[in-house]
Structure formats: C-alpha cells, structure tokens
Amino acid sequence: MLVAGVDVGAATAKTVILGDGRILGHAVNPVGYDIKSAADETSREALRKAGLSPSTKNFDYVVSTGYARESIEFADKTVSEIICHARGVHYLIPSARFIIDMGGQDSKAIEIGEEGNIVDFVMNDKCAAGTGRFLEVMAHILHVASMDAMGPLALGSKEPCPISSTCTVFAETEVVVLRARGKDRKDLIAGVHKAVASRVAVMAANLACRPVAVFTGGVAKNAGVKKYLEEEFKTEFLVPEEPQITGALGAALIAQAQLLRK
Amino acid sequence: MNALARLDSHLKSRLEDLSKAKEHGHKIIGYAAGGFLPEELVLACGAIPLCFIQAGDNAVLRNSAAYVCRWFDPFWRSQVGYLTSGKDPYYNIVDLIVVPITDNHVRAFSNAVGFYTPEMRSFVFGVPHVKDKVALEYYRKGIGRLRKELEDFTGAEITGSRLKQSIELCNRERELFRNISLMRKRRNVNVSGRDFVALHHGSFLADKEIMIDILEQFIKEADDDDPLFSGNAPRILFTGSTLARGDSKVMDILSDNGGIIVMEEFAEGIRPYRNMVQVEGDLIARLAEAYFMDRICPGWFRPGTERLDFLIELAEEYRASGVIWYQLLYRESYKVESYFFPGILRKRAGIPMLVLESEYDAMETGPMKTRIETFMETIRG
C-alpha cells in the first residue's frame, strides 16, 4: 500500500510517501510559476528518494493540501492544510496540544486534542505580516542572504529595535528609516523577528497555548522567530526535524486512512 | 413549475411588469436594506416597494471608488456603485429612494444619493441605537414623516383601512417565512439555506401577493418532499451584517462541505419575519413597535446583551452545532462583537464559532474554503 500527501503552499511544494504505515520518503521544492509541475516533480523526487519508480501512477491514494490543493490532478482527495498539519504533528509528537505553523503566505495557530482532532484554530487575514513573506522582504532590505540566515543574527542582538508597523510595506519603510539612523543591523533583525512573533501571538490570543507546543512551516527553521515566539507565548516550542513537511505528512496519513476504509 | 422556478420566472419579467405599473401611474419606491422601512406604508398608498439588495461583484466596488472612500462597508459601497453606474436596473426604475439611516455606512450611501443623483427624489429618516421610549418616539416620528412624504409624492392618502389591509398582507408574508423557518428545526431538514435565502432575496423585489402565493406553494412542496439532509450533518447558525443577493460563496462552500444552514440572522438580506404587526389602535405606533422595538436587530443596538442572548437562544432552539459569523470588511460594529462572542458562545452554548470577513474579493474564496472545511472538521470532532 503506497500513499502520498502533497502539500502545495505559496513558496514550496512538499510530498511525503507512506508505505505500510512508515515514512518511505519525502521531498521539498520551491513552487516556481508552474504549480502542477512543482507538485509532480516533488512527488517523483520523493519516490526516487524512497527507492521507488518515479511515477505518480504508483500511488494507491493521494491527498493534496495547501492553497493550490485543487490543482493537483493526480490527487484523489483534497483536505484543508489546517487539518493536515494537526494530523502530521500528532503523528510525530502525540503529546502536542498547540501548533504554530508559519508558511510563506499565511500563518495558523491550532489547538489540538488528544486524538489529533482540531479543538480551535485561527488563520491570518489578508496580510503578509506574521508570515515568511514578511521575513523575506526584510532579509532583502537588510542585505541578508536568506530568511533562515537572519535567525542566527537575531540571536546575537542584546537590544532588539522595536518595529511598530504591523503592515509589511510600512514596516519596510520603518526599517529603512531606522537603518538610516545608524541602528545596529543585528538589533534591527532581532526587532523584525520580534515583530513577527508578536503579530502571531496577537492573532492566537484567544486560543489556549497548552504544552506541548510545536512550531512548524518553513519559518520554523528560523531560530530567531522560535526564540521570540517562546518569549511571547511563555512556553517552549518543539520544532520537528523537518518542520516543512507536517502538512504533507498529515495528508499522507489521511490518504492511508481513506485507503484502509475502502 | 415548482415554487422557486416560479419565483425565478416572476423576477425575470419583474422589470417589465414594473415599467407597465409605472405607465399605469404606480410609483416605485426603492429603499435601503436593513429592515427598518415598513413596506406597509408604501403599499398603502398604492406604490410598489423595492429593496436594493444586490452586491458581491467586485467590479461594482471599483466603480464606487470615485464616489466614496474605500473604508466603508463593501455592501454600501456596492450600492453607491450601482447607483452611479446604472449596473443594477432596479436603481434605474425607482421614482423615490428612501434611506432609513442606521449607521455611518448607510449615511454614506444616502449622501451619495443626494449628491451624485440630485435628480432622484430621496427621503431619509434616522434609526436610533438605544431601545427606550424616547428612541421609539423618534423612530415613530420618522416613519410618520415618511407617511406624509409618501402621501405627498403619490397623491394618495394612507387611510386607516388601507394601512390595516397592507399590514395584514405583510403579516401573511412574515407568517409564511416564519413557518418555513420553523420547518428547519426538524432533525431531518427539508429546506436548504440557499432556498430560504433565495426566497428572502426574491421577496425584496417581487410583487407581494405573488410572493405570498409562492411561499404557500413552497411550504406544500417542502412538506411533501423527502428530507434534503440527514440528521448527522453539522447544523449551522449563519449570522452577520449582510447577506446580499449575489453573494453566495459562504453558503456554497458550506454546502460542498456537508454543512447545513438552519438559521440566518442578518441585518441586510434577511427580512425580519418573527414579529407580527398588531392591527389595533394607532397603526403607525404599532408599526414602530414591531419594526423598531420588538425586533432584535442584528446591528448590535444597545443593550448589546439582548442580541447576544438572542443568538444563543436561536442556536439552542435550532440545535446548531456551530455558528458562522460572516462580517463585511470595515463594518466595525460587527467586528467589535466578533472578538468576544466566540468565548461567550462556547461557554454558554458549548458550540464553536468561525469568523469570516469579506470585501467581495475573488482571492478570499481559497482561505475561506480552508477555514470552513476545517471548521466542519472541528464540529465533527
């Protein structure tokens, strides 16, 4: 029994393959312009990594998720990414009760129950603040190679610069002004990370952040955001070894359950 | 032809019928949505009421940008767009526009009517936000002034007997809507939210007597039909500021995900149908009591707890397993309440609530789908 979960987000496509209940392989690739090709290529790469023939026809069942989930032609079923993240995190960390997922385009806070069921959730509105896109914009104007590379620099700051604007465009202007005033780059980077964490904390204020808390999505690879999230929520956040694939993993688990039900 | 097909057919020829009615000397009175204009007054002077309820098209919002600033509710901006662009033919056929003003968004529309279409006769009256004797008197005087305006405009006197007849006609329509709503309390529901909303939207434009006939037919058909939904489908109380004709995305997504709407509560888009107007004594006073005092307006009048208690009562009465709160961007009174209501609802009724916000924008459908799909999953457990 070979099943797959395909998660196509704003920035990356992720595929996880399960065979007889075990993770056989996974792959993560940038989406680019052609969503369908990205999903197809990522799935074939995951098959190759699993030592299997790289054809999506090999799958017995596929569940797609993410904002482009309906564009995946080889998927048998689509499921919302919030449900998939909850399932994926529950599989990896059964004691998890709270998830912050930060992707390229959106961020989510999810309260989960003992069975991995969703108790409550919240998702950002039409706004890039509190997402990976915000950090990418800031990395560009602060001349740092990537969003991930900003994390260690943020950790080196002793006095993060407060960034008061909650809009990405206005925050960019604010950072440019602070840079012109000669503020230390590390402090500015730390301020940007703190602003992202604060934005997410405000969004999730009405949810109960109970341990064990887990941080997923592409932004979870950034140690600076993790640190400030922990300060905001006053709790430790666990980051799975590969935090980007929890949605695809959840989708694969749902695919497996669907097949067993047949 | 079934009831909904009849309604559809009636609305298709409605503009032609209205043109003919105008040729025969009947005045067409267009009015702003919100449920504060007693149609009885319009009917009692032989005129035809029409409520402006179309919205949901982003292109119309873009039309409005030249006339009203963006930071207004998109429904009311849409009305400005329709008024100034002529894209809603009902705006082109009315002889008088009446605007009961409940808030600044409605006021922006009434200003647009006066400023950008000065050739159009209009009449405005205020609706207070506090329910007490002074406010009731203010509203009563407002509809009293409206009565005089309608009499002057149409040349027909609104006599006691004509007003009583009109109230009885409107009461019959309200009663039928109430009966259909009560059918939705059943475990196996046989009236879909989409059909119920289509009847409401149709009723804002249709001929009153034909509409009553259609509603009677609809009840008979629904009673004879098999249930549309099994007892296990998540039952949703759907509430918010505005459910416009042409804005069905939430209902569509919900239905695709196996949810069933059992009750709608909206300021604009759903006709108030719970309270009957009494037909004894001072009929203007009776209209004021029913339309202002007895109605629990979705617009969060003070005291706000009345509205909260009412929604919780509805959720329990209709055995809702979740509430979907659909607010329009910049309609701040709903936004304010949406922050604390989910906690109260969970505590008192034990059910979850999902807040959705719209600006009639095509890109919002994807995230809305994700939220609704997840919410359904939350309810199912």
Side-chain angles (χ1 to χ4, degrees):
Chain A
M1 184 173 74
L2 198 65
V3 297
V6 183
D7 176 5
V8 186
T12 52
K14 290 81 71 172
T15 296
V16 170
I17 300 170
L18 293 181
D20 297 323
R22 287 184 307 113
I23 298 175
L24 300 181
H26 74 267
V28 179
N29 282 318
V31 166
Y33 185 78
D34 188 344
I35 291 165
K36 288 177 190 171
S37 299
D40 198 53
E41 179 47 43
T42 306
S43 300
R44 282 191 278 119
E45 188 185 324
L47 282 161
R48 274 194 295 272
K49 284 182 175 174
L52 298 163
S53 159
S55 166
T56 54
K57 287 181 182 160
N58 288 338
F59 296 130
D60 295 309
Y61 203 94
V62 177
V63 167
S64 64
T65 187
Y67 93 100
R69 60 186 177 274
E70 273 158 23
S71 314
I72 314 305
E73 284 163 356
F74 59 91
D76 298 287
K77 184 180 168 66
T78 63
V79 176
S80 98
E81 55 268 40
I82 301 176
I83 298 168
C84 291
H85 280 292
R87 295 285 160 82
V89 167
H90 177 71
Y91 176 85
L92 295 172
I93 307 167
S95 55
R97 294 292 175 269
F98 185 71
I99 305 166
I100 294 290
D101 178 80
M102 289 174 72
Q105 174 176 269
D106 58 32
S107 48
K108 315 160 193 83
I110 314 164
E111 251 186 86
I112 59 174
E114 289 179 9
E115 305 298 323
N117 55 303
I118 295 167
V119 176
D120 207 351
F121 68 96
V122 63
M123 209 176 148
N124 68 319
D125 282 317
K126 291 177 200 168
C127 176
T131 71
R133 182 71 194 135
F134 179 85
L135 288 168
E136 278 172 3
V137 169
M138 295 304 159
H140 179 71
I141 59 165
L142 290 163
H143 296 274
V144 182
S146 70
M147 174 181 81
D148 295 347
M150 285 208 297
L153 294 170
L155 295 177
S157 165
K158 288 192 177 117
E159 201 179 340
C161 242
I163 307 290
S164 54
S165 302
T166 49
C167 162
T168 303
V169 177
F170 293 145
E172 186 178 357
T173 308
E174 197 175 336
V175 169
V176 168
V177 170
L178 290 167
R179 185 181 65 184
R181 284 184 193 161
K183 292 285 179 190
D184 184 88
R185 191 162 80 133
K186 282 202 293 289
D187 294 340
L188 264 179
I189 291 170
V192 163
H193 284 65
K194 214 171 151 63
V196 167
S198 155
R199 179 84 181 169
V200 173
V202 166
M203 178 186 83
N206 286 329
L207 301 192
C209 173
R210 291 174 297 143
V212 170
V214 179
F215 185 23
T216 63
V219 181
K221 290 181 172 175
N222 180 310
V225 177
K226 177 179 178 288
K227 177 193 165 186
Y228 291 114
L229 269 186
E230 287 175 339
E231 278 184 15
E232 288 284 346
F233 285 94
K234 296 181 178 57
T235 192
E236 186 192 354
F237 274 85
L238 299 184
V239 177
E241 195 179 338
E242 180 40 273
Q244 270 179 297
I245 64 161
T246 50
L249 172 60
L253 290 164
I254 293 167
Q256 182 180 266
Q258 288 288 327
L259 205 56
L260 288 172
R261 210 177 286 169
K262 276 187 172 179
Chain B
M1 198 187 286
N2 74 21
L4 285 164
R6 259 184 79 201
L7 177 60
D8 199 38
S9 159
H10 172 59
L11 294 179
K12 272 187 186 138
S13 61
R14 186 63 176 144
L15 282 163
E16 210 178 304
D17 295 345
L18 288 170
S19 295
K20 283 181 192 157
K22 271 176 88 129
E23 281 167 19
H24 286 94
H26 293 283
K27 299 287 185 194
I28 318 279
I29 312 297
Y31 69 92
F36 286 103
L37 182 128
E39 286 181 331
E40 287 90 337
L41 291 172
V42 178
L43 293 164
C45 59
I48 300 167
L50 269 187
C51 178
F52 302 121
I53 196 61
Q54 191 71 30
D57 180 354
N58 196 267
V60 174
L61 276 188
R62 285 198 297 277
N63 285 131
S64 76
Y67 306 98
V68 64
C69 101
R70 191 192 155 189
W71 283 272
F72 278 101
D73 173 323
F75 174 78
W76 291 103
R77 276 188 284 144
S78 297
Q79 299 318 307
V80 174
Y82 283 126
L83 172 80
T84 51
S85 69
K87 282 184 178 172
D88 179 354
Y90 288 109
Y91 272 100
N92 305 333
I93 204 162
V94 296
D95 300 300
L96 166 74
I97 293 181
V98 181
V99 188
I101 296 184
T102 47
D103 66 21
N104 217 20
H105 303 272
V106 189
R107 191 182 65 89
F109 167 66
S110 80
N111 285 355
V113 175
F115 194 78
Y116 297 116
T117 56
E119 71 283 3
M120 170 65 71
R121 185 162 170 165
S122 63
F123 180 81
V124 166
F125 65 97
V127 179
H129 286 192
V130 184
K131 281 189 174 184
D132 60 19
K133 277 186 184 169
V134 176
L136 176 64
E137 182 57 14
Y138 178 85
Y139 178 78
R140 195 190 65 77
K141 280 187 176 158
I143 60 171
R145 285 196 298 114
L146 172 64
R147 172 191 189 157
K148 187 169 182 317
E149 167 74 7
L150 289 169
E151 286 178 333
D152 290 348
F153 186 60
T154 60
E157 190 193 346
I158 299 178
T159 62
S161 65
R162 291 175 85 172
L163 187 53
K164 187 174 176 237
Q165 257 180 6
S166 303
I167 292 173
E168 282 166 350
L169 187 68
C170 293
N171 273 348
R172 178 68 183 142
E173 184 185 42
R174 282 185 280 266
E175 186 188 7
L176 292 166
F177 271 118
R178 195 167 68 177
N179 290 347
I180 299 173
S181 175
L182 292 174
M183 291 166 85
R184 302 165 82 195
K185 284 187 177 180
R186 296 173 187 167
R187 181 175 156 76
N188 293 317
V189 181
N190 50 1
V191 177
S192 77
R194 267 193 284 206
D195 288 354
F196 192 62
V197 170
L199 290 169
H200 273 272
H201 287 164
S203 79
F204 288 120
L205 304 168
D207 173 84
K208 194 66 72 192
E209 285 178 5
I210 292 176
M211 191 67 218
I212 286 172
D213 209 38
I214 287 170
L215 290 168
E216 283 169 347
Q217 185 186 341
F218 183 88
I219 291 175
K220 276 187 204 139
E221 286 167 1
D223 257 339
D224 293 343
D225 282 349
D226 291 332
L228 292 172
F229 303 92
S230 79
N232 300 325
R235 299 167 66 92
I236 301 299
L237 166 62
F238 189 29
T239 187
S241 56
T242 313
L243 190 57
R245 187 170 185 245
D247 179 22
S248 64
K249 60 185 173 295
V250 176
M251 290 188 286
D252 294 342
I253 299 170
L254 191 62
S255 158
D256 290 346
N257 282 281
I260 167 170
I261 297 171
V262 288
M263 166 58 69
E264 303 80 3
E265 255 296 293
F266 286 86
E268 293 103 19
I270 296 294
R271 179 181 288 282
Y273 57 87
R274 284 185 196 83
N275 307 312
M276 298 300 135
V277 180
Q278 301 304 309
V279 283
E280 287 134 17
D282 177 350
L283 295 181
I284 294 291
R286 297 296 90 78
L287 285 171
E289 284 156 12
Y291 275 81
F292 175 72
M293 211 62 181
D294 299 344
R295 179 186 178 203
I296 298 173
C297 175
W300 297 100
F301 289 0
R302 289 181 295 278
T305 46
E306 182 188 57
R307 176 80 190 147
L308 286 176
D309 292 344
F310 179 59
L311 283 176
I312 289 169
E313 196 182 301
L314 279 183
E316 286 169 349
E317 228 178 88
Y318 283 77
R319 290 179 286 115
S321 36
V323 172
I324 292 188
W325 179 290
Y326 179 54
Q327 63 196 24
L328 295 180
L329 197 65
Y330 309 123
R331 194 71 179 267
E332 56 291 276
S333 61
Y334 291 84
K335 183 96 182 172
V336 168
E337 309 296 334
S338 75
Y339 273 80
F340 64 83
F341 190 53
I344 296 174
L345 186 69
R346 205 178 264 282
K347 200 171 166 187
R348 286 179 49 189
I351 58 173
M353 176 170 131
L354 175 69
V355 178
L356 299 172
E357 194 166 66
S358 172
E359 199 187 8
Y360 301 148
D361 185 345
M363 65 86 62
E364 67 198 17
T365 311
M368 226 174 236
K369 213 170 165 181
T370 298
R371 286 176 166 94
I372 292 173
E373 197 179 318
T374 311
F375 186 62
M376 291 294 107
E377 176 79 4
T378 309
I379 291 173
R380 289 189 183 105

PDB file of all heavy atoms in Angstrom, chain A residues 204-222:
ATOM      1  N   ALA A 204      -3.250  34.708  17.858  1.00  0.00           N
ATOM      2  CA  ALA A 204      -3.640  33.486  18.582  1.00  0.00           C
ATOM      3  C   ALA A 204      -4.083  33.762  20.018  1.00  0.00           C
ATOM      4  O   ALA A 204      -4.253  32.824  20.800  1.00  0.00           O
ATOM      5  CB  ALA A 204      -2.467  32.509  18.578  1.00  0.00           C
ATOM      6  N   ALA A 205      -4.298  35.027  20.337  1.00  0.00           N
ATOM      7  CA  ALA A 205      -4.562  35.392  21.747  1.00  0.00           C
ATOM      8  C   ALA A 205      -5.780  34.683  22.340  1.00  0.00           C
ATOM      9  O   ALA A 205      -5.823  34.431  23.540  1.00  0.00           O
ATOM     10  CB  ALA A 205      -4.724  36.899  21.860  1.00  0.00           C
ATOM     11  N   ASN A 206      -6.767  34.369  21.504  1.00  0.00           N
ATOM     12  CA  ASN A 206      -7.981  33.745  22.048  1.00  0.00           C
ATOM     13  C   ASN A 206      -7.907  32.221  22.121  1.00  0.00           C
ATOM     14  O   ASN A 206      -8.864  31.570  22.528  1.00  0.00           O
ATOM     15  CB  ASN A 206      -9.205  34.164  21.239  1.00  0.00           C
ATOM     16  CG  ASN A 206      -9.602  35.593  21.537  1.00  0.00           C
ATOM     17  OD1 ASN A 206      -9.395  36.079  22.648  1.00  0.00           O
ATOM     18  ND2 ASN A 206     -10.113  36.286  20.546  1.00  0.00           N
ATOM     19  N   LEU A 207      -6.778  31.647  21.703  1.00  0.00           N
ATOM     20  CA  LEU A 207      -6.614  30.191  21.804  1.00  0.00           C
ATOM     21  C   LEU A 207      -5.816  29.865  23.068  1.00  0.00           C
ATOM     22  O   LEU A 207      -5.083  30.705  23.585  1.00  0.00           O
ATOM     23  CB  LEU A 207      -5.865  29.633  20.588  1.00  0.00           C
ATOM     24  CG  LEU A 207      -6.469  29.855  19.204  1.00  0.00           C
ATOM     25  CD1 LEU A 207      -5.740  28.995  18.180  1.00  0.00           C
ATOM     26  CD2 LEU A 207      -7.937  29.537  19.158  1.00  0.00           C
ATOM     27  N   ALA A 208      -5.952  28.623  23.527  1.00  0.00           N
ATOM     28  CA  ALA A 208      -5.192  28.207  24.716  1.00  0.00           C
ATOM     29  C   ALA A 208      -3.887  27.564  24.255  1.00  0.00           C
ATOM     30  O   ALA A 208      -3.904  26.515  23.603  1.00  0.00           O
ATOM     31  CB  ALA A 208      -6.025  27.212  25.519  1.00  0.00           C
ATOM     32  N   CYS A 209      -2.783  28.218  24.589  1.00  0.00           N
ATOM     33  CA  CYS A 209      -1.469  27.648  24.218  1.00  0.00           C
ATOM     34  C   CYS A 209      -1.034  26.717  25.347  1.00  0.00           C
ATOM     35  O   CYS A 209      -0.458  27.143  26.340  1.00  0.00           O
ATOM     36  CB  CYS A 209      -0.462  28.775  24.011  1.00  0.00           C
ATOM     37  SG  CYS A 209       1.205  28.167  23.766  1.00  0.00           S
ATOM     38  N   ARG A 210      -1.370  25.438  25.180  1.00  0.00           N
ATOM     39  CA  ARG A 210      -1.021  24.451  26.224  1.00  0.00           C
ATOM     40  C   ARG A 210       0.164  23.645  25.754  1.00  0.00           C
ATOM     41  O   ARG A 210       0.304  23.356  24.561  1.00  0.00           O
ATOM     42  CB  ARG A 210      -2.207  23.508  26.469  1.00  0.00           C
ATOM     43  CG  ARG A 210      -3.399  24.169  27.136  1.00  0.00           C
ATOM     44  CD  ARG A 210      -4.577  23.218  27.203  1.00  0.00           C
ATOM     45  NE  ARG A 210      -5.045  22.831  25.869  1.00  0.00           N
ATOM     46  CZ  ARG A 210      -5.482  21.624  25.551  1.00  0.00           C
ATOM     47  NH1 ARG A 210      -5.521  20.678  26.450  1.00  0.00           N
ATOM     48  NH2 ARG A 210      -5.889  21.348  24.324  1.00  0.00           N
ATOM     49  N   PRO A 211       1.039  23.237  26.659  1.00  0.00           N
ATOM     50  CA  PRO A 211       2.133  22.370  26.238  1.00  0.00           C
ATOM     51  C   PRO A 211       1.581  20.979  25.871  1.00  0.00           C
ATOM     52  O   PRO A 211       0.563  20.570  26.452  1.00  0.00           O
ATOM     53  CB  PRO A 211       3.030  22.284  27.463  1.00  0.00           C
ATOM     54  CG  PRO A 211       2.238  22.823  28.599  1.00  0.00           C
ATOM     55  CD  PRO A 211       1.053  23.551  28.064  1.00  0.00           C
ATOM     56  N   VAL A 212       2.138  20.284  24.965  1.00  0.00           N
ATOM     57  CA  VAL A 212       3.378  20.595  24.282  1.00  0.00           C
ATOM     58  C   VAL A 212       3.078  21.474  23.063  1.00  0.00           C
ATOM     59  O   VAL A 212       2.168  21.153  22.285  1.00  0.00           O
ATOM     60  CB  VAL A 212       4.059  19.276  23.832  1.00  0.00           C
ATOM     61  CG1 VAL A 212       5.236  19.523  22.900  1.00  0.00           C
ATOM     62  CG2 VAL A 212       4.446  18.458  25.036  1.00  0.00           C
ATOM     63  N   ALA A 213       3.828  22.573  22.899  1.00  0.00           N
ATOM     64  CA  ALA A 213       3.635  23.464  21.767  1.00  0.00           C
ATOM     65  C   ALA A 213       4.655  23.122  20.681  1.00  0.00           C
ATOM     66  O   ALA A 213       5.808  22.815  20.984  1.00  0.00           O
ATOM     67  CB  ALA A 213       3.785  24.909  22.212  1.00  0.00           C
ATOM     68  N   VAL A 214       4.190  23.159  19.444  1.00  0.00           N
ATOM     69  CA  VAL A 214       5.048  22.766  18.315  1.00  0.00           C
ATOM     70  C   VAL A 214       5.046  23.886  17.268  1.00  0.00           C
ATOM     71  O   VAL A 214       4.004  24.499  17.019  1.00  0.00           O
ATOM     72  CB  VAL A 214       4.529  21.443  17.683  1.00  0.00           C
ATOM     73  CG1 VAL A 214       5.397  21.030  16.506  1.00  0.00           C
ATOM     74  CG2 VAL A 214       4.499  20.329  18.732  1.00  0.00           C
ATOM     75  N   PHE A 215       6.197  24.146  16.702  1.00  0.00           N
ATOM     76  CA  PHE A 215       6.354  25.192  15.685  1.00  0.00           C
ATOM     77  C   PHE A 215       6.690  24.515  14.358  1.00  0.00           C
ATOM     78  O   PHE A 215       7.677  23.777  14.275  1.00  0.00           O
ATOM     79  CB  PHE A 215       7.482  26.125  16.148  1.00  0.00           C
ATOM     80  CG  PHE A 215       7.714  27.336  15.281  1.00  0.00           C
ATOM     81  CD1 PHE A 215       6.728  27.862  14.450  1.00  0.00           C
ATOM     82  CD2 PHE A 215       8.952  27.993  15.332  1.00  0.00           C
ATOM     83  CE1 PHE A 215       6.970  28.985  13.672  1.00  0.00           C
ATOM     84  CE2 PHE A 215       9.197  29.123  14.557  1.00  0.00           C
ATOM     85  CZ  PHE A 215       8.205  29.619  13.723  1.00  0.00           C
ATOM     86  N   THR A 216       5.859  24.745  13.333  1.00  0.00           N
ATOM     87  CA  THR A 216       6.090  24.104  12.024  1.00  0.00           C
ATOM     88  C   THR A 216       6.067  25.133  10.890  1.00  0.00           C
ATOM     89  O   THR A 216       5.825  26.311  11.123  1.00  0.00           O
ATOM     90  CB  THR A 216       5.008  23.042  11.734  1.00  0.00           C
ATOM     91  OG1 THR A 216       3.743  23.708  11.653  1.00  0.00           O
ATOM     92  CG2 THR A 216       4.947  21.961  12.794  1.00  0.00           C
ATOM     93  N   GLY A 217       6.286  24.639   9.680  1.00  0.00           N
ATOM     94  CA  GLY A 217       6.311  25.502   8.494  1.00  0.00           C
ATOM     95  C   GLY A 217       7.736  25.938   8.190  1.00  0.00           C
ATOM     96  O   GLY A 217       8.648  25.757   9.005  1.00  0.00           O
ATOM     97  N   GLY A 218       7.917  26.552   7.036  1.00  0.00           N
ATOM     98  CA  GLY A 218       9.246  26.968   6.614  1.00  0.00           C
ATOM     99  C   GLY A 218       9.907  27.925   7.597  1.00  0.00           C
ATOM    100  O   GLY A 218      11.122  27.870   7.818  1.00  0.00           O
ATOM    101  N   VAL A 219       9.118  28.786   8.228  1.00  0.00           N
ATOM    102  CA  VAL A 219       9.678  29.790   9.152  1.00  0.00           C
ATOM    103  C   VAL A 219      10.210  29.130  10.435  1.00  0.00           C
ATOM    104  O   VAL A 219      11.059  29.697  11.126  1.00  0.00           O
ATOM    105  CB  VAL A 219       8.614  30.878   9.466  1.00  0.00           C
ATOM    106  CG1 VAL A 219       9.167  31.950  10.394  1.00  0.00           C
ATOM    107  CG2 VAL A 219       8.129  31.534   8.180  1.00  0.00           C
ATOM    108  N   ALA A 220       9.753  27.909  10.723  1.00  0.00           N
ATOM    109  CA  ALA A 220      10.217  27.222  11.943  1.00  0.00           C
ATOM    110  C   ALA A 220      11.709  26.893  11.878  1.00  0.00           C
ATOM    111  O   ALA A 220      12.329  26.580  12.903  1.00  0.00           O
ATOM    112  CB  ALA A 220       9.400  25.954  12.170  1.00  0.00           C
ATOM    113  N   LYS A 221      12.283  26.995  10.683  1.00  0.00           N
ATOM    114  CA  LYS A 221      13.731  26.756  10.558  1.00  0.00           C
ATOM    115  C   LYS A 221      14.526  27.964  11.041  1.00  0.00           C
ATOM    116  O   LYS A 221      15.749  27.899  11.150  1.00  0.00           O
ATOM    117  CB  LYS A 221      14.081  26.463   9.095  1.00  0.00           C
ATOM    118  CG  LYS A 221      13.557  25.125   8.614  1.00  0.00           C
ATOM    119  CD  LYS A 221      13.950  24.888   7.182  1.00  0.00           C
ATOM    120  CE  LYS A 221      13.587  23.458   6.777  1.00  0.00           C
ATOM    121  NZ  LYS A 221      13.854  23.234   5.373  1.00  0.00           N
ATOM    122  N   ASN A 222      13.829  29.049  11.311  1.00  0.00           N
ATOM    123  CA  ASN A 222      14.485  30.282  11.729  1.00  0.00           C
ATOM    124  C   ASN A 222      14.522  30.335  13.264  1.00  0.00           C
ATOM    125  O   ASN A 222      13.482  30.494  13.928  1.00  0.00           O
ATOM    126  CB  ASN A 222      13.698  31.465  11.147  1.00  0.00           C
ATOM    127  CG  ASN A 222      14.288  32.804  11.517  1.00  0.00           C
ATOM    128  OD1 ASN A 222      14.568  33.064  12.682  1.00  0.00           O
ATOM    129  ND2 ASN A 222      14.478  33.641  10.527  1.00  0.00           N
TER     130      ASN A 222
END
